[in-house]
Amino acid sequence: MEITLRAVEDGDLAVFHRQMTDPEAALMAAFGPEDPYDREAFAAYWQRLRTSSDVLRTVLADGEVAGSAAVYGVAGEREVTYWIDRGYWGRGVATAALRALLAEVPERPLYARAAADNGASLRVLEKCGFREAARARGYANARGREIEEVVLVLPAS
């Protein structure tokens, strides 16, 4: 399967919204929007992102939209994030997409966060060189409660 990244296009947003409202994926990701079904808030969020200096990419698997990946935040504290459609889980798509994003954005250090029980995402991050730096607690909208999260860092080489 060929994994590539490209700039986010208007037509990708409907796919991203469908992915974010997948109940199983939302529970796994944990830290999503307060109301993922609020299309107005979703549109405003993406409008804000697309006019920022953040690096936003659509993840393509054999030419089909498989998810999104981004680097966001202020210099020195920038984080990576990604969301891959559940239909592509377990097929190396997230790892390949994150590696491509990291090649495109050479800035280090970079940070990432994942729910402590999201073993798949933690493995993706570790395969890409991220290492656990801390543990924290945060409110997970998709779970309706505070949960433990792992803070990871990809240090400067």
Side-chain angles (χ1 to χ4, degrees):
M1 180 178 323
E2 180 184 19
I3 307 304
T4 56
L5 303 180
R6 67 160 164 73
V8 174
E9 298 175 356
D10 291 344
D12 301 336
L13 299 181
V15 177
F16 296 166
H17 188 261
R18 179 186 51 77
Q19 292 168 343
M20 286 182 64
T21 56
D22 174 331
E24 187 175 336
L27 280 173
M28 185 61 65
F31 299 103
E34 186 174 336
D35 179 3
Y37 297 98
D38 182 341
R39 284 191 172 272
E40 225 172 86
F42 175 84
Y45 170 77
W46 275 96
Q47 175 63 32
R48 189 174 62 254
L49 286 179
R50 292 175 77 190
T51 58
S52 75
S53 61
D54 297 337
V55 178
L56 310 169
R57 297 294 178 258
T58 296
V59 177
L60 301 172
D62 290 336
E64 297 294 319
V65 176
S68 61
V71 175
Y72 68 95
V74 298
E77 298 177 15
R78 289 169 57 88
E79 290 191 35
V80 300
T81 186
Y82 49 88
W83 191 291
I84 303 299
D85 187 280
R86 190 161 42 104
Y88 291 98
W89 288 3
R91 298 169 63 188
V93 174
T95 302
L98 184 55
R99 284 184 177 143
L101 182 67
L102 294 174
E104 188 177 326
V105 181
E107 165 187 347
R108 304 292 184 268
L110 290 174
Y111 297 88
R113 295 173 178 268
D117 62 357
N118 186 343
S121 193
L122 291 169
R123 281 189 299 280
V124 166
L125 290 160
E126 289 168 359
K127 285 182 202 174
C128 292
F130 284 81
R131 296 294 171 251
E132 183 174 334
R135 296 266 171 150
R137 294 196 66 78
Y139 188 79
N141 285 318
R143 300 183 189 182
R145 61 183 169 83
E146 190 175 274
I147 66 168
E148 184 176 30
E149 65 180 332
V150 179
V151 180
L152 302 102
V153 63
L154 179 63
S157 32

